[in-house]
Amino acid sequence: MGEPHLPERVVTLLVSSEYARLVGRTMSERLAYIVDIASLHTRDELVRRLGLGRVVVRQVEKWLAFHGRRLRHPNESIDIAMCGLEFRKRRIRRSRVAVRSRRLNSKTIPREPGRGS
């Protein structure tokens, strides 16, 4: 049996969801983190907000399980769920590298004579 997949309709609904806006601004960012976006939803949200049937929700659960993830539990905070997601880890790593390189670049730029400290 091959890798489970999501129907195009489900992918479209997920990348248009309110949680997708928290993950990425552009459609390419959202598509890159579709697993993260899907895992932010609860079963109830998929059924009520996105209008998915129970069979399709089960398909989403199987797809997430294949990727080592799961849907968010109803009593689980969205903030806590977002803390461990891959898109957050990558942004944190990138921002640390950017800050470090800015510090290094500012130290190597010679100051003009006559300017304050």
Side-chain angles (χ1 to χ4, degrees), residues 4-49:
H5 72 283
L6 290 180
E8 187 175 334
R9 176 179 146 259
V10 175
V11 172
T12 302
L13 288 170
L14 288 171
V15 296
S16 302
S17 71
E18 65 182 84
Y19 296 140
R21 292 181 190 101
L22 299 173
V23 172
R25 283 175 255 163
T26 66
M27 192 57 70
S28 61
E29 279 181 316
R30 293 177 185 185
L31 288 170
Y33 297 112
I34 189 72
V35 175
D36 288 339
I37 293 168
S39 69
L40 290 174
H41 292 81
T42 63
R43 260 188 217 112
D44 190 54
E45 289 169 341
L46 292 178
V47 171
R48 292 178 191 240
R49 288 188 190 170

Side-chain angles (χ1 to χ4, degrees), residues 96-113:
R96 287 181 183 162
V97 169
V99 167
R100 192 175 309 131
S101 66
R102 274 186 261 149
R103 278 190 213 140
L104 292 174
N105 289 338
S106 66
K107 289 179 182 177
T108 59
I109 297 172
R111 296 184 185 259
E112 292 180 32

